[in-house]
Amino acid sequence: MVTGLAGTLARLMAAGLVGASLAASIPAFAEQPDPPAAAPITGNAGMGTGDVPLTTPLPPLTAPAPRAATAAPAPVSPAISPARVRGGVDSAGDTPHPLPQPAQAQAQSAPAATPAQPAATVAAPAPAATPAPAAPPVTVAVEDPLAPVAEAIAALLATPESVTASKKEQEALVAFYGARQNMPVFVGLKGVDARGKAAIARFEAAGEDGLEPTDYAVPLPKPGATAADLARTELKLAVAALTYARHAQAGRFDPGRISALVTPVREIPDPTAVLAKVAYAPDANAALAAFNPTHAGYRALKAQLARVTGQTPGVVAVPPGAQIRPGASDPRIPTLRTRLGITGRAADDNAYDPALVDAVKAFQEASKIKPTGIVGPSTIAALNAGATPGGGSLKSDVIANMERWRWLPRDLGESYVMVNIPEFLVRIYQSGHEIHETRVVVGKPETPTPLLSREMQYIVVNPAWNIPPSIARNEMMPLLRSDPSALARRGIEVVRNGSGGYSFRQVPSERNALGRIKFMFPNDHSVYLHDTPSKALFQNDRRAYSHGCVRVYEPLKFGEVIFNLGLPNDHWTQARIGKMFGSSERYVNLKQRFPVHIVYFNVVVDDAGRLAVREDLYGINAETKALLGLNGKQRIADGTSTRGTAPKTR
């Protein structure tokens, strides 16, 4: 059988494996007899073993070759402006990707094959034309529609006086928007967008957390607002978000403005982190709300705030004054009857009769006040919950106490001690559960116990008392002058120091003012928790007698819990601690340290879910309300000092 290259190409063309342009570039051959010794062609489907082998390989059979003399035109690749990131997603849905470069046309040519028989001569085909190089991609800039707003934002941030914010917040705004190429977060071309509306919804609901919605109000842009108007709205919303987060987490003023003894550890949120959280969180409303305290005491007050908001108190205040004891006569008795709902009248309207005494005792017991029937300051404070005359409504008291929860660290500790001054109680918590509670004596109003958060580090058994200079000057020196032996009888040593003055030290003993044990959490105020020889004071309802330190009832029970928290697996008991008592000081360092929080909550929610109101012992609640503008007066401007109108410094 005689076949030639032309026949082979014809079969390949019929099979669709070779294009016509390639076939046309190869001259036709006369059919030649099959060479007797030709090697079979491998790797080319469709060829028989008798076909003439090619010395030049065929082009790939999977795609037809382009025309040799015509270069494909280069496609236009538009340059897309940087994606506008909103919550981490390109809002336009057109994240740019590089387009592939077009394939260059290459002419395929096959030189003549050398036949096995030299009798035939094959003419070489003409070389294919060299294609022109492809033109580089043409880029067309597509401007982001919000680019003018971004430019206006950049201009406003370049002039700090145009943005009402602190220096730190101003720097955060510049850095945050600079990283976004000044693209907005809260506005779009038509005004405030979905994220901005979510933030505004949280601002408008600020009252749920005892905050003032007007502090975060931002006027909405009018229809057809200019880029400059939208930029101003954007930055006002950003500043409002920063202000809300700071107020919600750390409070609306520096607590030190009340007194130098009010020194809690506040955690003020980082403004850059606030902006990032609000900008990229799935729900801006929830992101802002999360800056409010999560403590159980705060949440309980928030629930009570929702209940009392909008209520008309309708409670007649019981005027302050001297204690009212059973059987006494007092002009406040009719008011007391009205407050407790006692309808029966005694022969003497002002008589504190047995029926009213029983009602007072029941009220005291429900309010966790010792049910003595004696109407004193704590009982009157509890009775006046919700009364408007002289101190605002119950709502304002709840808000003021919610504010002071913001002064505490967000993480109170896995284990911690909390002393609440108005309740005269100390509680110990572990893993969120109260594991111990006992009574305490706190500082007198003239020598108040400070507010603070510090770390319990060690315990001193058989402590000596190095008497502070103020107590030595005001109490010890007059006593020494009146009776030279009085101090010696109390175990107080008088030491003359190098400067010509005197220092006083009470040696360890049962008579020592610190008792047998003290619990140390070093702080600038030199206060601590300790035992006391004056046990009878714990029986009183109002326990404010100290110079600022906190005296603990039943210190061995309290100490057993503290020792086992700080020295786990050592199996401490009251008996073991008691064996350490003696005449010399002994220091015990804790392996596990934990916080001590001394706080001031005169409105709390009890275990039954009822509001309990305590006496504002140091006037801190009244000062809080004044600084927040909750007493019917204008809020004191931020930065104004009111020191000296509340607790005096020691």
Side-chain angles (χ1 to χ4, degrees):
M1 179 177 179
V2 180
T3 59
L5 180 60
T8 301
L9 291 175
R11 289 196 302 274
L12 293 175
M13 289 177 61
L17 300 176
V18 176
S21 58
L22 175 61
S25 66
I26 302 177
F29 288 90
E31 291 186 348
Q32 301 292 332
D34 291 336
I41 298 176
T42 62
N44 289 307
M47 285 191 174
T49 57
D51 291 330
V52 178
L54 299 177
T55 59
T56 301
L58 294 175
L61 303 181
T62 57
R67 294 183 179 275
T70 305
V76 176
S77 175
I80 302 175
S81 61
R84 175 168 168 250
V85 179
R86 298 168 66 81
V89 180
D90 176 12
S91 62
D94 55 355
T95 304
H97 298 282
L99 297 177
Q101 295 296 325
Q104 302 299 324
Q106 296 181 357
Q108 301 292 335
S109 61
T114 303
Q117 300 292 334
T121 302
V122 180
T130 302
V138 178
T139 60
V140 178
V142 178
E143 183 177 355
D144 191 303
L146 284 170
V149 180
E151 293 174 1
I153 290 173
L156 288 172
L157 291 175
T159 54
E161 61 274 9
S162 64
V163 181
T164 306
S166 67
K167 181 179 179 181
K168 186 175 182 179
E169 290 179 349
Q170 175 76 24
E171 292 172 351
L173 288 166
V174 171
F176 174 76
Y177 280 99
R180 294 175 52 86
Q181 300 184 21
N182 297 306
M183 284 295 177
V185 173
F186 304 108
V187 302
L189 293 177
K190 296 181 180 180
V192 177
D193 63 11
R195 186 168 294 272
K197 290 176 181 177
I200 290 173
R202 174 45 39 198
F203 301 154
E204 292 175 344
E208 297 174 357
D209 286 281
L211 301 174
E212 177 51 57
T214 58
D215 287 345
Y216 325 106
V218 175
L220 298 180
K222 297 179 180 179
T226 65
D229 293 334
L230 293 173
R232 279 189 288 270
T233 300
E234 169 71 22
L235 293 181
K236 286 180 180 178
L237 284 170
V239 171
L242 291 174
T243 304
Y244 181 94
R246 175 164 41 83
H247 286 179
Q249 181 165 310
R252 286 174 273 178
F253 61 87
D254 178 5
R257 293 167 59 190
I258 293 177
S259 165
L261 294 179
V262 181
T263 58
V265 179
R266 296 190 301 158
E267 295 179 352
I268 300 175
D270 177 71
T272 303
V274 172
L275 292 170
K277 182 175 182 179
V278 176
Y280 302 117
D283 185 349
N285 187 324
L288 285 166
F291 285 100
N292 288 288
T294 57
H295 310 121
Y298 175 88
R299 295 198 306 270
L301 285 176
K302 180 178 178 179
Q304 290 292 330
L305 178 63
R307 186 179 65 82
V308 302
T309 297
Q311 288 185 356
T312 302
V315 176
V316 180
V318 178
Q323 289 183 342
I324 308 175
R325 294 180 173 274
S329 179
D330 192 283
R332 295 172 290 173
I333 292 299
T335 303
L336 184 60
R337 290 181 184 279
T338 302
R339 173 65 182 85
L340 294 175
I342 304 300
T343 56
R345 287 182 174 274
D348 179 2
D349 284 349
N350 293 338
Y352 189 18
D353 62 358
L356 184 56
V357 171
D358 290 342
V360 168
K361 287 182 178 180
F363 175 82
Q364 289 173 328
E365 189 170 11
S367 300
K368 285 193 173 181
I369 299 172
K370 188 176 180 180
T372 61
I374 299 172
V375 181
S378 295
T379 301
I380 290 176
L383 287 165
N384 288 341
T388 52
S393 66
L394 179 58
K395 176 182 176 181
S396 65
D397 287 321
V398 172
I399 291 173
N401 279 265
M402 291 173 69
E403 182 75 7
R404 291 194 291 278
W405 274 106
R406 306 181 199 280
W407 300 351
L408 289 171
R410 181 58 58 90
D411 182 4
L412 297 176
E414 171 64 20
S415 301
Y416 63 92
V417 177
M418 181 173 284
V419 178
N420 188 16
I421 295 170
E423 285 188 295
F424 306 106
L425 292 174
V426 59
R427 298 176 175 93
I428 303 176
Y429 294 87
Q430 185 177 32
S431 301
H433 300 286
E434 180 184 315
I435 60 174
H436 187 75
E437 175 185 305
T438 191
R439 285 169 274 175
V440 295
V441 169
V442 300
K444 297 175 287 188
E446 57 269 27
T447 55
T449 298
L451 276 62
L452 53 82
S453 290
R454 295 296 186 271
E455 192 174 64
M456 181 82 77
Q457 297 185 12
Y458 63 97
I459 298 166
V460 182
V461 183
N462 309 313
W465 183 32
N466 296 304
I467 300 171
S470 61
I471 299 176
R473 181 176 57 254
N474 298 327
E475 299 180 23
M476 299 302 150
M477 289 300 293
L479 186 61
L480 182 63
R481 284 191 291 266
S482 64
D483 183 0
S485 64
L487 298 184
R489 290 196 305 269
R490 299 183 184 187
I492 298 176
E493 299 174 342
V494 182
V495 181
R496 189 177 182 88
N497 54 42
S499 61
Y502 294 90
S503 61
F504 298 82
R505 178 178 183 271
Q506 189 175 32
V507 298
S509 71
E510 292 182 353
R511 297 174 299 173
N512 189 289
L514 305 183
R516 285 297 191 178
I517 189 168
K518 66 176 180 178
F519 307 89
M520 301 298 293
F521 42 98
N523 57 84
D524 295 338
H525 306 288
S526 299
V527 299
Y528 35 84
L529 291 157
H530 66 85
D531 181 19
T532 177
S534 304
K535 310 294 186 183
L537 296 178
F538 291 106
Q539 304 307 314
N540 297 336
D541 180 37
R542 188 179 189 267
R543 298 184 291 273
Y545 302 106
S546 82
H547 292 91
C549 286
V550 179
R551 306 175 190 174
V552 182
Y553 182 60
E554 296 181 324
L556 286 180
K557 288 184 178 180
F558 180 81
E560 180 180 316
V561 180
I562 295 295
F563 270 85
N564 284 306
L565 286 177
L567 298 166
N569 304 318
D570 280 2
H571 309 294
W572 285 88
T573 64
Q574 297 179 54
R576 181 180 175 185
I577 297 171
K579 289 179 180 179
M580 300 172 67
F581 290 172
S583 59
S584 60
E585 289 186 308
R586 299 183 65 175
Y587 287 74
V588 181
N589 292 316
L590 300 181
K591 295 178 182 178
Q592 300 290 337
R593 297 177 175 181
F594 43 86
V596 175
H597 306 291
I598 301 181
V599 299
Y600 194 95
F601 299 121
N602 71 312
V603 177
V604 296
V605 180
D606 64 19
D607 295 337
R610 298 169 301 195
L611 273 179
V613 181
R614 300 288 184 264
E615 179 189 359
D616 186 9
L617 185 64
Y618 301 155
I620 288 177
N621 194 64
E623 283 297 307
T624 304
K625 291 193 292 185
L627 287 165
L628 295 178
L630 298 174
N631 56 359
K633 300 178 182 178
Q634 185 176 2
R635 188 189 312 179
I636 298 175
D638 196 22
T640 303
S641 176
T642 62
R643 238 175 231 181
T645 60
K648 298 177 181 178
T649 58
R650 290 181 296 144

